[in-house]
Amino acid sequence: MAHSKPAGPVQLSFLLFFLMATVEMHRGSSSSSERTVEMRGRKVLENDLVISPPMGWNSWNHFKCDITEKLIMETADAMVSTGLASLGYQYINLDDCWGAFNRDSRGNLQPNSSTFPSGIKALADYVHAKGLKLGIYGDAGNRTCTLRIPGSLGNELRDARTFALWGIDYLKYDNCNNLGKSPKKRYKKMGKALKYAGRNIFFSICEWGREHPATWAPMVGNSWRTTDDIHDDWDSMTDCADQNDKWASFAGPGGWNDPDMLEVGNGGMKTEEYRSHFSIWSLSKAPLIIGCDVRNMSHETFEILSNAEVIAVNQDKLGIQGKKVKGSRDLEVWSGLLSDEKVAIVLWNRLSSPKPITAYWSDIGLHPSTIVDARDLWTHSTISSVKGQLTAIVNAHDCKMYVLTPLK
Ligand code: GLA
């Protein structure tokens, strides 16, 4: 039996890793500051996964617990064959329900053997061979939210190491069954464990905005949820947008506010509403994590998710989160600065009939005499030499999105 054998070299090196990492983890606050880096005046986590918001796909919004390795492989295939992968959507992320109800005899996490019979390492190999990355889901408590598979509280080092050995590139770390302990401490522990796991793993903090993560999570992870779960309806989507907006000034290269994953293509909203959803998430520098069945997308869904001009706003190298500058739950103007002195704006009609909406230069940080070319990112046409303000008629629940380029 495995446990009665003398320890081999692999087991010894694992033990050594554990001891060293445990000592490091208990060193206290000095080691936490060693792993942060100053970026534009704020301290953020030091790993290489900081440049622009992550893009990819996650199983939860569409499939909930109905996931198998076959589905994940077909999704990876579809991400490539549809062209979404080459637009930047690189992470293929498992959510809850991938795991077995119990740890294995050594105490390690293990996949559900009937739905993931080949194991997670084989799945990661498959996904990596397509040029994509594999994400997984864990929990900063003792069981996950829905299927109650084991969480990682108290097992952070062991589980981070398992994820690294499997070839995982992204961890979404949820907040259920947390024994009432402070998120700050629980997430910090996993953040450190990932550092010692020997692989660059994007750390997506999912504590639902409970302890104002924007104020502490930049030093712990790469993104943090600012809201409760999104649902595939207009009210939920607009609420997530508004709640996330409050934390705009805390985001930037090094760490992103996360208003939850995209519902585009799941059927609960109209095309105009999904266009608004995608535009606002992009302007807000949110992670663009697709949540529909990409194997069977409609043309409208693909048109939204594949809009390269809108994606470019999200991925702009300045990394400034655009925000609402005018209006409240009615006729709104959102805007954000881009690199090369460009400005992105979204005119968003949240009322139920078509209305004109005007962005005045004074609202969006431009001098009133500035002349710009306005590129309409949804019609892919340009309005030349616009001065002082821009007005458009916007359909109910729809938006117009522009990039304004000042003329020299
Ligand atoms: C929580 C998270 C969701 C999803 C489910 C899975 O509710 O916030 O995004 O991961 O758990 O159980």
Side-chain angles (χ1 to χ4, degrees), residues 60 95-96 137 145-146 172 174 206 208 225 229 260-261:
W60 183 254
D95 207 280
D96 204 351
Y137 164 95
C145 300
T146 299
K172 171 176 169 182
D174 214 339
C206 177
W208 318 313
R225 279 271 295 274
D229 288 8
D260 207 358
M261 303 172 293

Side-chain angles (χ1 to χ4, degrees), residues 58 60-61 64-65 94-97 137-139 144-148 172 174-176 206-208 225 227-230 260-261:
N58 172 290
W60 183 254
N61 282 357
K64 301 287 184 285
C65 277
L94 304 171
D95 207 280
D96 204 351
C97 311
Y137 164 95
D139 190 274
T144 65
C145 300
T146 299
L147 207 56
R148 299 179 58 78
K172 171 176 169 182
D174 214 339
N175 193 26
C176 280
C206 177
E207 61 84 272
W208 318 313
R225 279 271 295 274
T227 69
D228 280 326
D229 288 8
I230 193 168
D260 207 358
M261 303 172 293

Side-chain angles (χ1 to χ4, degrees), residues 152-221:
S152 297
L153 189 62
N155 275 298
E156 290 84 357
L157 283 169
R158 174 191 290 278
D159 294 350
R161 180 74 174 157
T162 300
F163 297 146
L165 288 172
W166 283 344
I168 292 296
D169 305 294
Y170 185 117
L171 172 65
K172 171 176 169 182
Y173 201 45
D174 214 339
N175 193 26
C176 280
N177 306 303
N178 58 43
L179 312 176
K181 297 188 176 171
S182 150
K184 236 183 249 181
K185 287 193 185 142
R186 288 178 287 115
Y187 283 83
K188 218 179 235 179
K189 264 188 133 181
M190 181 51 96
K192 281 191 184 178
L194 289 173
K195 186 193 172 191
Y196 297 114
R199 192 175 168 87
N200 235 356
I201 298 179
F202 186 102
F203 188 27
S204 159
I205 292 174
C206 177
E207 61 84 272
W208 318 313
R210 289 290 187 271
E211 217 169 73
H212 300 164
T215 62
W216 52 268
M219 288 177 280
V220 177

Side-chain angles (χ1 to χ4, degrees), residues 140-337:
N142 55 21
R143 290 254 167 211
T144 65
C145 300
T146 299
L147 207 56
R148 299 179 58 78
I149 65 181
S152 297
L153 189 62
N155 275 298
E156 290 84 357
L157 283 169
R158 174 191 290 278
D159 294 350
R161 180 74 174 157
T162 300
F163 297 146
L165 288 172
W166 283 344
I168 292 296
D169 305 294
Y170 185 117
L171 172 65
K172 171 176 169 182
Y173 201 45
D174 214 339
N175 193 26
C176 280
N177 306 303
N178 58 43
L179 312 176
K181 297 188 176 171
S182 150
K184 236 183 249 181
K185 287 193 185 142
R186 288 178 287 115
Y187 283 83
K188 218 179 235 179
K189 264 188 133 181
M190 181 51 96
K192 281 191 184 178
L194 289 173
K195 186 193 172 191
Y196 297 114
R199 192 175 168 87
N200 235 356
I201 298 179
F202 186 102
F203 188 27
S204 159
I205 292 174
C206 177
E207 61 84 272
W208 318 313
R210 289 290 187 271
E211 217 169 73
H212 300 164
T215 62
W216 52 268
M219 288 177 280
V220 177
N222 301 109
S223 68
W224 47 89
R225 279 271 295 274
T226 52
T227 69
D228 280 326
D229 288 8
I230 193 168
H231 299 287
D232 187 17
D233 62 63
W234 167 257
D235 286 343
S236 167
M237 184 274 283
T238 53
D239 269 356
C240 287
D242 289 341
Q243 281 180 47
N244 189 64
D245 185 45
K246 294 183 198 147
W247 302 103
S249 62
F250 293 85
W256 311 101
N257 288 314
D258 176 5
D260 207 358
M261 303 172 293
L262 297 167
E263 292 283 9
V264 178
N266 280 333
M269 286 185 253
K270 298 187 185 132
T271 301
E272 303 86 290
E273 298 174 333
Y274 283 140
R275 189 163 34 240
S276 298
H277 179 15
F278 194 69
S279 301
I280 292 291
W281 262 237
S282 294
L283 184 87
S284 305
K285 303 294 189 283
L288 295 182
I289 306 294
I290 296 172
C292 69
D293 182 356
V294 289
R295 301 167 309 168
N296 300 300
M297 268 178 297
S298 68
H299 179 67
E300 286 78 18
T301 296
F302 178 74
E303 285 291 295
I304 292 173
L305 296 173
S306 66
N307 187 324
E309 294 194 85
V310 176
I311 292 172
V313 169
N314 180 258
Q315 298 289 302
D316 181 79
K317 62 177 189 271
L318 260 193
I320 292 180
Q321 179 171 333
K323 53 188 179 199
K324 191 185 308 197
V325 295
K326 205 170 154 191
S328 178
R329 296 188 160 267
D330 47 22
L331 304 175
E332 300 184 344
V333 179
W334 293 56
S335 88
L337 191 62

